[in-house]
């Protein structure tokens, strides 16, 4: 696996599958690498903690970083090229052009500017890497909706593949932020997937999830339309860590 830090060095041949990441890789990312491996000639993973998408500076400062470990995981999962640019390479002096998606749901409302950062960095990565397919996790459901919509609205030539959320054996959705949970917080965090799973079949899933979240303080609980399917999505804060998760309520996710 090659680790590449500059846009100029990135020379790729064949059908490229891109997995955009911010590092702190886990089995959820590995499932995206493996899908990209089977569907493309070349697999590129980006490793870039994108400052533009952090609405809280403290969250950016605390974001887990371990490049050595990420390199090992990506290499082992069959990634051909790890594109790990410094901030200056992506946002040089004078950078002044942004992709600003309209708000879609509660996640955009709760995190002003977040999807502007996500959309901008993804358009940049698509233009730099020129993938045939790009891979995202369904855990970040609103992110998937934003990316699919920007691909459609800006006529970008890339297929967006969204893959199922990978969970620990006890049901907690894998997230780079989970490493920040203390053992006691991690136990409390299990209340989120349990509440969503229980509420999904109810006649009022939002009210049922709120009731089931007893003790956890939700930023929001909402029903979100994802390309004709309905998901029940929520964000909770556990100590200083914010976790999101969702479950399918109706239809099938594309
Ligand atoms: O989901 C993420 O890790 C990030 O939002 C992404 C898509 C890599 C953009 O920085």
């Amino acid at each position: 696996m090659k680790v590449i830090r500059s846009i100029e060095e990135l020379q790729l041949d064949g059908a490229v599958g891109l997995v955009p990441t911010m590092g702190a890789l886990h089995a959820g990312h590995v499932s995206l690498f493996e899908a990209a491996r089977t569907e493309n000639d070349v697999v590129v993973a980006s490793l870039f903690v994108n400052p533009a998408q952090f609405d809280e500076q403290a969250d950016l400062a605390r974001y887990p970083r371990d490049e050595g470990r990420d390199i090992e995981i990506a290499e082992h999962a069959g990634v051909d090229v790890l594109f790990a640019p410094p901030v200056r390479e992506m946002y040089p002096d004078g950078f002044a052009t942004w992709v600003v998606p309209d708000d879609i749901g509660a996640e955009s409302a709760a995190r002003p500017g977040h999807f502007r950062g996500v959309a901008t960095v993804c358009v940049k990565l698509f233009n730099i890497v020129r993938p045939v397919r790009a891979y995202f996790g369904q855990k970040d459901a609103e992110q998937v909706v934003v990316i699919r919509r920007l691909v459609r609205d800006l006529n970008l030539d890339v297929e967006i593949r969204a893959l199922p959320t990978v969970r620990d054996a006890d049901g907690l959705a894998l997230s780079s932020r989970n490493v920040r949970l203390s053992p006691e917080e991690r136990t409390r965090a299990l209340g989120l997937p349990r509440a969503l799973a229980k509420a999904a079949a109810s006649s009022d899933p939002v009210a049922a999830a709120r009731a089931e979240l007893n003790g956890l303080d939700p930023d929001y609980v909402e029903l979100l339309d994802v390309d004709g399917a309905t998901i029940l999505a929520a964000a909770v804060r556990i100590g200083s860590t914010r976790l999101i998760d969702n479950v399918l309520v109706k239809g099938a996710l594309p």
Side-chain angles (χ1 to χ4, degrees):
M1 186 182 76
K2 280 192 202 157
V3 179
I4 287 188
R5 311 233 175 236
S6 75
I7 296 166
E8 203 184 352
E9 275 177 275
L10 203 61
Q11 310 283 349
L12 304 163
D13 288 320
V16 174
L18 169 67
V19 184
T21 86
M22 298 206 300
L25 301 178
H26 51 64
H29 296 109
V30 169
S31 78
L32 305 182
F33 298 151
E34 287 173 353
R37 182 71 282 158
T38 60
E39 295 173 0
N40 303 277
D41 301 328
V42 180
V43 179
V44 177
S46 59
L47 194 178
F48 181 63
V49 182
N50 175 28
Q53 70 186 75
F54 285 81
D55 45 325
E56 292 172 18
Q57 284 313 298
D59 191 28
L60 172 60
R62 278 198 314 261
Y63 201 81
R65 296 165 205 245
D66 187 342
E67 193 186 82
R69 181 178 168 275
D70 288 342
I71 288 174
E72 272 177 32
I73 293 174
E75 184 153 33
H76 193 249
V79 171
D80 298 302
V81 174
L82 188 72
F83 177 54
V87 172
R88 276 286 165 110
E89 185 72 359
M90 296 298 276
Y91 299 109
D93 281 349
F95 183 89
T97 305
W98 298 93
V99 180
V100 186
D102 285 351
D103 281 359
I104 288 177
E107 185 69 6
S108 17
R111 303 185 67 190
H114 170 65
F115 285 117
R116 177 183 92 142
V118 171
T120 302
V121 84
C122 285
V123 170
K124 285 175 68 71
L125 288 169
F126 296 161
N127 282 332
I128 292 165
V129 177
R130 304 261 166 204
V132 173
R133 299 175 193 86
Y135 296 78
F136 296 86
Q138 210 40 269
K139 181 179 76 68
D140 297 301
E142 198 169 322
Q143 171 168 279
V144 172
V145 177
V146 167
I147 305 285
R148 282 196 203 278
R149 201 169 63 170
L150 87 82
V151 163
R152 184 199 66 195
D153 291 351
L154 303 182
N155 307 96
L156 303 183
D157 192 13
V158 55
E159 180 190 346
I160 301 305
R161 302 267 293 111
L163 297 191
T165 301
V166 177
R167 296 179 183 279
D168 271 333
D170 56 12
L172 190 66
L174 296 190
S175 162
S176 302
R177 289 184 167 83
N178 290 357
V179 295
R180 300 204 314 231
L181 297 169
S182 69
E184 180 270 328
E185 288 174 332
R186 198 188 172 292
T187 303
R188 280 203 291 135
L190 288 174
L192 174 60
R194 285 178 185 159
L196 293 178
K198 262 189 139 175
S202 141
S203 57
D204 185 347
V206 171
R210 283 189 178 277
E212 290 291 339
L213 276 171
N214 46 1
L216 291 182
D217 180 24
D219 260 13
Y220 63 81
V221 181
E222 70 165 355
L223 288 172
L224 183 71
D225 180 84
V226 180
D227 288 316
T230 304
I231 62 165
L232 175 64
V236 297
R237 280 181 197 271
I238 301 184
S240 60
T241 306
R242 185 173 183 276
L243 298 177
I244 61 173
D245 199 354
N246 65 79
V247 292
L248 185 65
V249 168
K250 205 171 72 191
L253 290 167

